[in-house]
């Protein structure tokens, strides 16, 4: 069974934005778009850092919480403390 990201949410990114992406498992491509400066690149980097285990780099992105739901209904939650 292949497990994929079903839902990814980053809360209080830069102290301003909350982004939630729902991934459709039937589609092979998702498009992320928005104006400059709203955190598209930071969101993508946070996904990469989280799933590659690069927690020191993830800690440099300013957010308060990350919530992830995988296709097998496993949930991952990251909360910044301090």
């Amino acid at each position: 069974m292949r497990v994929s990201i079903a839902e990814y949410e980053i809360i209080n990114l830069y102290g301003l934005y909350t982004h939630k992406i729902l991934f459709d498992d039937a589609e092979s491509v998702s498009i992320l778009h928005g104006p400059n400066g709203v955190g598209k690149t930071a969101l993508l980097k946070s996904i990469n850092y989280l799933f590659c285990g690069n927690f020191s780099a993830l800690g440099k992105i300013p957010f308060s919480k990350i919530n992830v739901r995988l296709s097998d209904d496993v949930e991952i939650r990251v909360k910044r403390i301090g």
Side-chain angles (χ1 to χ4, degrees):
M1 179 176 152
R2 185 182 78 108
V3 177
S4 59
I5 301 171
E7 182 176 309
Y8 191 90
E9 179 180 37
I10 188 164
I11 299 168
N12 207 25
L13 180 61
Y14 301 125
L16 299 170
Y17 305 108
T18 294
H19 298 299
K20 186 175 194 176
I21 302 172
L22 303 175
F23 294 95
D24 184 354
D25 198 35
E27 300 293 326
S28 60
V29 175
S30 295
I31 298 173
L32 181 62
H33 65 91
N36 289 343
V38 297
K40 299 179 300 291
T41 301
L43 182 144
L44 292 172
K45 284 181 178 182
S46 73
I47 293 171
N48 180 54
Y49 296 154
L50 178 61
F51 287 96
C52 289
N54 190 346
F55 301 113
S56 64
L58 181 63
K60 293 178 184 174
I61 298 174
F63 67 90
S64 61
K65 293 180 187 176
I66 293 175
N67 298 316
V68 183
R69 186 175 51 80
L70 302 178
S71 59
D72 62 356
D73 286 328
V74 168
E75 293 185 1
I76 300 167
R77 299 187 188 277
V78 178
K79 181 177 180 181
R80 182 179 300 277
I81 299 174

